[in-house]
């Protein structure tokens, strides 16, 4: 576990001298032997630079190599020439159980390497990520999490990371018994993309949809699902033969395919489709149940990069 300090640059308008001052702090952990450090996006958001302090008190300048505001995840990189710290062992989160004992490690209020303990209080929670969408599938825990814990690991009794502490629910801003962690399965899916590309590249179908229009159409024809307005040329959807809505020369509207489920899971709005696809990787094949010309059909689509 590491301590992260973010810095901001300030310009003295009289002397024109630029100085760096502390902007905030948070926690993180070593991801791999190449010096990548995983933390929360909101820990480094808006900062000019960052420093990472290891458990042996060595301090290194860090650069942000990738970030995903949607998942509240960021990856820093430090260069440790000798005695590099080992990566933290990772567990899984799909098999977690409510009541399971967990431990949160972080730097609350700047107090280095603090350990708190608790249980998993609930699973599959959703909170606002501050970027106009929600983070879904979160772990809820009663292990004490306070400002400064953000980005630190939530570990199981075997010492494996099962989540990243990301937020608390508290009217006062301090610990109130409800904290949230990003599941490590999500971290495992997102972080390699941040390291490779600098951003999260989502798997997509390659279609355009609109919630307002779709709801009107499916209500009018007494069905369910999400209407495809347009199929992007060259996309996975076009290769699979999906059809978009079109207007004839006589101004007659020919409805496109209506996506009703993905791999057996029903979808009724654009957000549901986006959230489901976020759980897949580029190149994965999904089975869509669509409504076309009043008939239900099954279409296989291989997901592509956005």
């Amino acid at each position: 576990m590491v301590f992260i300090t973010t810095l901001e640059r300030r310009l003295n308008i009289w002397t024109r001298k630029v100085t760096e001052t502390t902007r905030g702090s948070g926690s993180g952990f070593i991801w791999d032997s190449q010096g990548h450090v995983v933390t929360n996006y909101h820990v480094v958001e808006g900062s000019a630079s960052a420093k990472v302090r290891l458990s042996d008190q060595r301090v290194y300048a860090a650069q942000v190599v990738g970030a995903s505001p949607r998942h509240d995840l960021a990856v820093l990189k430090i260069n440790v020439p000798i005695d590099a710290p080992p990566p933290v062992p990772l567990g899984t989160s799909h098999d977690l159980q409510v009541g399971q004992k967990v431990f949160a490690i972080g730097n609350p209020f700047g107090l280095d390497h603090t350990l708190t303990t608790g249980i998993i209080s609930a699973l599959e929670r959703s909170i606002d990520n501050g970027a106009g969408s929600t983070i879904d599938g979160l772990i809820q825990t009663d292990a004490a999490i306070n400002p400064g814990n953000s980005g630190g690991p939530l570990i199981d009794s075997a010492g494996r990371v099962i989540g990243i502490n990301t937020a608390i629910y508290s009217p006062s801003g301090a610990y109130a018994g409800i904290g949230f962690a990003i599941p490590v399965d999500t971290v495992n899916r997102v972080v390699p993309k941040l390291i490779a590309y600098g951003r999260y590249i989502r798997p997509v179908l390659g279609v355009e949809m609109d919630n307002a229009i779709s709801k009107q159409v499916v209500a009018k024809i007494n069905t369910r699902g999400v209407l495809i307005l347009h199929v992007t040329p060259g996309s996975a959807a076009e290769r699979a033969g999906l059809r978009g809505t079109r207007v004839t020369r006589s101004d007659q509207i020919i409805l496109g395919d209506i996506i009703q489920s993905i791999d057996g899971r029903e979808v009724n709005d654009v957000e549901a489709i986006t959230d489901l696809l976020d759980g897949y990787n580029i190149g994965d094949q999904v089975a869509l149940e669509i409504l076309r010309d009043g008939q239900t059909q099954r279409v296989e689509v291989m997901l592509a990069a956005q």
Side-chain angles (χ1 to χ4, degrees):
M1 200 275 298
V2 301
F3 181 71
I4 299 172
T5 303
T6 57
L7 307 172
E8 63 181 358
R9 294 188 179 94
R10 291 185 177 180
L11 173 66
N12 187 309
I13 61 174
W14 303 109
T15 65
R16 312 304 294 174
K17 183 179 179 180
V18 178
T19 58
E20 281 192 339
T21 58
T22 300
R23 184 178 185 276
S25 63
S27 306
F29 63 91
I30 302 296
W31 177 260
D32 57 23
S33 59
Q34 283 73 51
H36 291 109
V37 176
V38 175
T39 186
N40 285 138
Y41 170 73
H42 74 259
V43 170
V44 300
E45 181 183 10
S47 61
S49 60
K51 292 182 179 179
V52 170
R53 185 167 77 239
L54 305 180
S55 58
D56 59 8
Q57 302 306 308
R58 287 182 293 170
V59 179
Y60 295 93
Q63 62 175 353
V64 178
V65 299
S68 174
R70 175 181 174 83
H71 301 93
D72 195 20
L73 290 172
V75 178
L76 308 178
K77 193 174 191 302
I78 56 175
N79 181 25
V80 184
I82 57 172
D83 295 329
V88 178
L90 301 179
T92 58
S93 54
H94 63 271
D95 52 356
L96 297 178
Q97 299 291 325
V98 173
Q100 181 176 332
K101 194 168 187 178
V102 293
F103 304 86
I105 305 178
N107 303 284
F109 303 109
L111 300 173
D112 290 10
H113 307 102
T114 298
L115 173 70
T116 57
T117 184
I119 63 168
I120 294 176
S121 305
L123 298 167
E124 297 297 326
R125 296 300 198 197
S126 298
I127 61 171
D128 184 3
N129 68 355
S133 60
T134 60
I135 309 176
D136 299 314
L138 296 178
I139 303 165
Q140 180 184 324
T141 178
D142 66 351
I145 297 174
N146 285 290
N149 274 110
S150 291
L154 185 71
I155 63 176
D156 62 15
S157 55
R160 300 168 300 190
V161 176
I162 58 171
I164 295 180
N165 303 316
T166 188
I168 59 173
Y169 176 79
S170 170
S172 66
Y175 173 64
I178 300 177
F180 301 99
I182 303 167
V184 74
D185 289 354
T186 299
V187 179
N188 263 325
R189 188 176 69 251
V190 175
V191 166
K193 292 185 176 68
L194 299 185
I195 294 173
Y197 309 111
R199 62 187 180 92
Y200 181 66
I201 300 179
R202 293 171 42 233
V204 296
L205 296 171
V207 298
E208 294 178 15
M209 299 167 287
D210 182 272
N211 273 334
I213 296 174
S214 179
K215 289 183 184 299
Q216 291 179 13
V217 170
V218 297
K220 189 171 183 179
I221 62 177
N222 193 29
T223 189
R224 59 178 176 80
V226 185
L227 174 69
I228 297 177
L229 295 179
H230 177 70
V231 174
T232 305
S235 67
E238 184 183 58
R239 290 191 291 273
L242 291 177
R243 300 177 184 176
T245 301
R246 59 189 179 89
V247 181
T248 66
R249 292 182 179 179
S250 58
D251 292 332
Q252 180 184 4
I253 297 176
I254 308 297
L255 293 179
D257 296 332
I258 297 175
I259 302 174
Q260 298 187 313
S261 72
I262 299 176
D263 280 345
R265 289 170 286 185
E266 290 189 5
V267 291
N268 290 299
D269 54 40
V270 177
E271 289 73 22
I273 291 177
T274 301
D275 291 341
L276 275 178
L277 294 182
D278 199 40
Y280 292 88
N281 293 310
I282 295 167
D284 285 349
Q285 191 157 292
V286 296
L288 305 185
E289 181 185 280
I290 64 168
L291 184 68
R292 176 184 294 171
D293 299 330
Q295 300 294 320
T296 300
Q297 298 185 27
R298 177 187 171 95
V299 178
E300 300 281 340
V301 182
M302 182 175 290
L303 301 176
Q306 185 179 34

